[in-house]
Amino acid sequence: MNRPGDPAESRWKSPGRLVRWQEWFVHGMLASFAVLTILTTLGILVVLGSETVRFFRTGEVTPLEFLTGTAMRPEADPPRYGVLPLVWGTLVITVGSSLIALPIGLAAAIYLSEYANFRTRSILKPILELLAGVPTIVYGYLALLLVTPLLRYSLGLVGIKVDTYNAASAAIVVGIMIIPMVSSLSEDVLRAVPQGLREAAYGLGATKFEVSTQVVVPAGLSGIMASFILAFSRAIGETMAVVLAAGQMPQISPNVFASVQTMTAYIVSVTSGDAPYGSPEHLSLFAVGTVLFLMTLSLNLISGAILRRYREEYS
Amino acid sequence: MATRPLTGPDTNFRPNHRRRALMDPLFRWICFGATSVSVLFLATVIGAVLLRVLIPAGGEPGQAVSPAARVTAAFALISRLVTNKTGLDAAESGYRVGLISSAWLLFFVVAISVPVGVGAAVYLEEYCGKSRWKSFVQMNIANLAGVPSIVYGLLGLILFQRGLGFEWLALGPCLLAGALTLSLLILPVIVIATQEALRAVPKSLRLAALALGATRWQMIRDHLLPAASPGILTGTILGVSRAIGETAPLLMVGAAASLLKVPRGPFDRYTALPVEIYYNAKEPAEAYSTVAAGGILILLCLLLSMNFLAILIRQRASRGHGSAAIPTRRGGSMR
């Protein structure tokens, strides 16, 4: 046997210069990948910013007119570029879908976190995840195939006229689409509420209903709010379902059964139209995109800030 | 009863037994109802599309068709959709070009976004420490995950298709531009999933490898990544399946409405399965609705099986498969 530790006899080789060089190389490469994510954000900011500036430089519209204009008719003469009808359309659909998704999503989260046993949970959670995996184009088609005809038929019985393209059916399918998001985010929040709070309430004789609604949900309220805001922001950025279901009619109208155009739908309609690249109409989609980006970004930042504060509270 | 004295006239305690006994199960059923409604929605989505394929539009109503004939017809429809290219006639139209384009996109998106996403996650978890730089990058990734997909489309249009205005950088409306855009879109998903998988690997594994003289990269390559691979795989499949189902950004980055030539390389014109479905769904003619339904059925089969696979991998890993691969320290042996 060799004597242990004798350098001459040992087959161990010191990691030479090559290994050290490799370490540096890998470190640098991985760091550059991380920097790439920063560059993506920077790219979005630069692209949206510079093209928006180009749009306003064409002299068709001033930023103030753009933000407060109530008509969006790029093909009219003179063309009108006002973002408010698009913002209105977006808000109608977002608020409508939230009215559907937030209560159902929260109730589902409470069920999964407070009521369901391990077996039920392990079946229901994957199904909800599958629902989240359905692409948005499918929801748009569902609106055309099922939701709109159903609405037209049932509301036709009571004499309400429903257009082929309408905000209501878009809101319904977008609502269905964001349920899994609300329920899975809220469930994480509810499960993070310390067990001790529940036990204390049970010890005082509270029923499960009282524990859920008066202890667990209030304790997780800020986190639930964060998940609501995130779902809201997702609904704002939703494109294909809205394009197919709500149509392309930019108007400010209180009638939810009429067609509206959202910001995302406007971007798609200009892209598939024949406005040449660099024309004011084509550049206007970057201005609309900037408004869309800023709206979702601010909502995401608010939600992130709430979640961070919430985590500090309980862990 | 011992509780009697509590409800005397001098206390304001009201037990409300009856209301509480009613509310408790009621609330339980409401919550259960909400959960089952969401499950029902998934069934409705699949059921409605399936029915549309089985009972195509434009057939004569009142004519009795046997269920067996319907199923045969549906299979014929699907196989036609898979083999035919887009045509002017709805009865001849199919998704062949879209399917092949989507396969190309899948290949390039995986080739681009997986190394970059996993690499960025490894950097953040293993090289960064707990610095201000890390939390900055982290916050940036979280915000990127919330950017609407159509904004990525605008980015791809200017950055890849038009090369920021430089002629020599512009890729034009080609497959690679679409793949790059989709890769950026799902990068945050892959980074976040990989980070979670890396965090779940016990610290002892890292320390053991380092103690035996492995360098940091050797430790990551030979021990950390294999141990975290189920989690990474799950996140990758979920991210990539999202990319395959995306329509909006591709519309911006020049995916063609109807393409008759199958793309043969990264610089060819392209389209995608969801894009072709979109243009069929948009057609007011009833016959196209059936074509769209068939396409959606194909897309859903692909995506739901990918999602299902991801869930399966994760459940197997969390059921102790993962911890068996990582030897745990048993109590007593070290004393």
Side-chain angles (χ1 to χ4, degrees):
Chain A
M1 268 238 331
N2 294 337
R3 276 173 302 158
D6 184 349
E9 293 291 324
S10 165
R11 267 189 281 171
W12 182 78
K13 280 202 188 82
S14 147
R17 204 170 282 168
L18 190 72
V19 169
R20 230 170 301 150
W21 186 83
Q22 191 189 23
E23 286 294 305
W24 272 105
F25 176 74
V26 167
H27 190 149
M29 199 169 69
L30 297 181
S32 70
F33 289 160
V35 170
L36 197 72
T37 64
I38 304 269
L39 288 180
T40 309
T41 310
L42 224 58
I44 292 174
L45 292 176
V46 166
V47 163
L48 288 180
S50 66
E51 299 295 298
T52 305
V53 167
R54 270 181 71 190
F55 171 61
F56 288 124
R57 279 224 180 123
T58 58
E60 297 280 351
V61 66
T62 65
L64 191 70
E65 281 168 11
F66 175 73
L67 287 175
T68 57
T70 52
M72 178 57 102
R73 283 195 295 274
E75 71 289 344
D77 187 35
R80 305 275 303 275
Y81 294 100
V83 80
L84 283 185
L86 305 181
V87 173
W88 171 261
T90 304
L91 285 185
V92 166
I93 288 170
T94 310
V95 170
S97 61
S98 305
L99 287 180
I100 295 165
L102 302 189
I104 295 181
L106 180 60
I110 293 176
Y111 182 78
L112 287 174
S113 130
E114 305 298 313
Y115 286 96
N117 58 26
F118 182 77
R119 238 184 95 84
T120 328
R121 240 177 73 82
S122 65
I123 297 169
L124 285 178
K125 269 210 84 143
I127 294 181
L128 278 176
E129 268 178 75
L130 284 185
L131 191 63
V134 174
T136 69
I137 179 96
V138 178
Y139 287 105
Y141 181 73
L142 188 75
L144 287 182
L145 180 72
L146 195 67
V147 179
T148 306
L150 269 180
L151 275 183
R152 292 183 80 148
Y153 177 72
S154 56
L155 292 175
L157 293 179
V158 292
I160 300 174
K161 189 179 163 295
V162 178
D163 292 350
T164 316
Y165 298 108
N166 65 82
S169 56
I172 291 172
V173 289
V174 173
I176 295 174
M177 208 176 81
I178 57 178
I179 287 174
M181 186 170 180
V182 178
S183 66
S184 79
L185 287 173
S186 299
E187 195 218 336
D188 287 347
V189 169
L190 293 180
R191 285 170 73 83
V193 170
Q195 197 59 31
L197 286 183
R198 291 187 186 87
E199 279 158 7
Y202 284 133
L204 291 172
T207 62
K208 199 139 194 168
F209 165 63
E210 287 155 351
V211 172
S212 304
T213 54
Q214 292 169 30
V215 175
V216 180
V217 170
L221 197 63
S222 52
I224 292 170
M225 277 299 145
S227 82
F228 283 3
I229 296 172
L230 224 52
F232 204 77
S233 130
R234 172 89 190 276
I236 289 179
E238 172 40 41
T239 311
M240 293 325 286
V242 176
V243 169
L244 280 175
Q248 307 280 9
M249 182 81 82
Q251 58 177 347
I252 302 180
S253 138
N255 180 10
V256 293
F257 301 113
S259 171
V260 294
Q261 190 175 40
T262 63
M263 294 187 274
T264 50
Y266 176 79
I267 295 176
V268 168
S269 86
V270 171
T271 316
S272 25
D274 41 66
Y277 178 82
S279 66
E281 184 180 353
H282 193 269
L283 286 173
S284 75
L285 62 85
F286 291 93
V288 174
T290 308
V291 175
L292 174 70
F293 175 70
L294 290 181
M295 276 172 86
T296 52
L297 180 72
S298 49
L299 286 178
N300 291 342
L301 286 176
I302 293 172
S303 147
I306 295 177
L307 267 184
R308 259 196 306 284
R309 273 186 53 187
Y310 170 77
R311 283 209 193 101
E312 275 164 21
E313 242 169 83
Y314 282 119
S315 59
Chain B
M1 267 210 179
T3 53
R4 270 274 179 248
L6 278 173
T7 55
D10 50 338
T11 64
N12 49 12
F13 174 70
R14 300 281 178 279
N16 292 332
H17 280 308
R18 196 179 292 166
R19 208 183 73 201
R20 296 174 67 201
L22 186 74
M23 274 315 282
D24 195 42
L26 187 69
F27 184 68
R28 188 200 162 100
W29 283 108
I30 290 174
C31 289
F32 179 70
T35 319
S36 16
V37 160
S38 4
V39 173
L40 203 71
F41 282 143
L42 182 67
T44 313
V45 172
I46 298 172
V49 173
L50 211 59
L51 267 182
R52 189 55 167 203
V53 173
L54 284 175
I55 309 169
E60 295 93 274
Q63 202 175 33
V65 182
S66 73
R70 286 232 159 101
V71 172
T72 331
F75 272 114
L77 174 73
I78 296 293
S79 65
R80 183 202 94 201
L81 290 178
V82 172
T83 49
N84 278 22
K85 295 177 178 176
T86 330
L88 290 172
D89 185 11
E92 292 288 310
S93 200
Y95 291 107
R96 176 149 178 229
V97 182
L99 275 167
I100 294 173
S101 290
S102 281
W104 274 105
L105 285 173
L106 178 76
F107 172 76
F108 281 111
V109 166
V110 169
I112 297 163
S113 68
V114 172
V116 175
V118 172
V122 166
Y123 174 77
L124 285 175
E125 285 304 308
E126 304 301 320
Y127 287 86
C128 237
K130 258 196 190 307
S131 58
R132 198 171 265 190
W133 162 242
K134 181 185 168 180
S135 57
F136 173 67
V137 178
Q138 197 81 68
M139 198 184 76
N140 174 56
I141 289 172
N143 283 323
L144 275 181
V147 172
S149 62
I150 195 150
V151 174
Y152 281 98
L154 292 174
L155 175 71
L157 169 66
I158 297 295
L159 191 64
F160 302 128
Q161 188 178 335
R162 311 208 58 105
L164 286 170
F166 299 110
E167 201 64 46
W168 52 276
L169 258 177
L171 291 168
C174 71
L175 206 141
L176 189 62
L180 284 168
T181 308
L182 290 181
S183 304
L184 287 188
L185 173 72
I186 65 165
L187 202 57
V189 181
I190 293 182
V191 174
I192 292 171
T194 307
Q195 278 189 293
E196 266 166 28
L198 291 176
R199 263 180 235 144
V201 176
K203 185 140 196 161
S204 55
L205 187 84
R206 295 178 177 82
L207 295 179
L210 292 177
L212 288 174
T215 64
R216 201 191 310 222
W217 172 237
Q218 286 168 342
M219 177 270 283
I220 290 166
R221 187 189 57 199
D222 299 337
H223 304 281
L224 196 55
L225 288 181
S229 59
I232 296 174
L233 203 60
T234 309
T236 306
I237 295 174
L238 289 179
V240 168
S241 77
R242 179 164 167 217
I244 292 308
E246 268 305 341
T247 319
L250 292 181
L251 290 178
M252 320 249 69
V253 202
S258 61
L259 192 67
L260 292 174
K261 209 168 136 271
V262 173
R264 303 216 166 275
F267 298 104
D268 284 358
R269 292 289 322 251
Y270 75 110
T271 180
L273 181 58
V275 173
E276 290 196 328
I277 292 172
Y278 166 64
Y279 283 105
N280 278 315
K282 226 170 67 157
E283 288 293 328
E286 280 265 293
Y288 282 101
S289 172
T290 310
V291 179
I296 284 176
L297 202 62
I298 299 170
L299 185 68
L300 276 182
C301 282
L302 285 174
L303 292 187
L304 292 188
S305 53
M306 279 169 90
N307 275 279
F308 189 71
L309 184 73
I311 293 167
L312 216 66
I313 294 172
R314 189 184 43 210
Q315 282 196 341
R316 279 191 61 151
S318 69
R319 231 176 255 159
H321 181 80
S323 54
I326 305 156
T328 47
R329 207 172 84 185
R330 307 208 181 280
S333 60
M334 291 295 286
R335 279 184 209 150

